[in-house]
Amino acid sequence: MSNPAYTVIFYLFAAITVFSAAFVVFSRNVIYSAFSLLFTFFGAAALYVFLSADFIAVTQVVVYVGGILVLLLFGVMFTNSIMQTDLKTDVLNMIPGTVLLVGIIGAILYTFYSTHSWMPSSTMLQGSIVERIGFETMSGYVLPFEMASILLLAALIGAAFLARFDKPGNNEK
Amino acid sequence: MEQLTTIGINHYLTISAFLLGFGLFAVMTRKNAIVILMGVELILNAANINFLAFSKFNGGMGGVMFSLFVIVLAAAEAAIALAIVINIFKLFKSVDVSSIDSMKE
């Protein structure tokens, strides 16, 4: 844990995650925000590997980078015409937003660092946990697992229904 | 110095606090609905980092399984939300959430 290379790599990925997240929020260009979100997701996946959750890290890369980010980019392309040069977005509620940002981060960090230290368990997660995830999914979490499949089916049908182009009601256009 | 070089649970919680703050800031201040969705994804990632950090230092599997389901729900949420955003764009010709003022066509 106190291996210097480990520490340096951790801080590298932590910096990538936090700074690209800040760029997502403070950049005025939607495309820049979307591509910066890519680095945030990759940095978070690297942090999951540090937390010995390798399966979650791979899932993060596949689902977030391969799915959600592509969806968001499609959304950006759909909702801004390509010829329109300004992909900028305006801001509102700047003062309350800044107060919220500083307040939330300050309060959480003050709570973490002013109270007593955590007491970690003697049996931390070590190594790969893919096998244990398989056992847990098929034993203790089989009901949420099946419900997730129903939810994904419902979301698939619902999204296709909501986003279809040819509504019977507006044929006059 | 000892606290800085030994990676403990507080490091992960700090990163997660920053992601949560940035996500809330995006949801609060941006006008573009797509950027608001990105803020929601940042918040979900912050929650995931917290779950996995507590799971790692507790030694249990509860946080790992919960974060897996969080990812599943985030995928469903993003698909539905983008369908709604595209519908809003078809109706109002913009995704500026401050200019959307009616719920009926």
Side-chain angles (χ1 to χ4, degrees), chain A residues 49-164:
Chain A
V49 174
F50 275 97
L51 290 167
S52 70
D54 44 2
F55 183 76
I56 309 291
V58 174
T59 314
Q60 161 100 358
V61 171
V62 170
V63 174
Y64 269 98
V65 179
I68 294 176
L69 198 64
V70 173
L71 265 179
L72 285 173
L73 273 173
F74 261 108
V76 174
M77 307 274 175
F78 256 119
T79 54
N80 292 283
S81 52
I82 303 295
M83 292 304 152
Q84 178 190 341
T85 47
D86 55 328
L87 285 170
K88 307 272 193 291
T89 61
D90 291 333
V91 292
L92 76 167
N93 295 334
M94 203 62 193
I95 309 284
T98 313
V99 169
L100 192 73
L101 172 72
V102 176
I104 289 273
I105 293 178
I108 291 179
L109 292 189
Y110 176 75
T111 314
F112 287 160
Y113 287 101
S114 65
T115 49
H116 284 285
S117 58
W118 301 93
M119 286 187 289
S121 159
S122 53
T123 57
M124 290 189 200
L125 291 183
Q126 295 290 345
S128 172
I129 54 164
V130 179
E131 196 182 350
R132 290 182 67 186
I133 286 181
F135 281 123
E136 291 284 337
T137 308
M138 281 297 127
S139 60
Y141 293 87
V142 69
L143 180 64
F145 181 69
E146 297 293 341
M147 282 170 71
S149 71
I150 296 174
L151 176 112
L152 283 176
L153 179 66
L156 177 71
I157 297 172
F161 175 76
L162 279 176
R164 78 208 150 115

Side-chain angles (χ1 to χ4, degrees), chain B residues 9 22 24 42 62 83 98 104:
Chain B
I9 190 165
F22 289 143
L24 279 174
L42 283 183
S98 63
K104 206 162 164 264

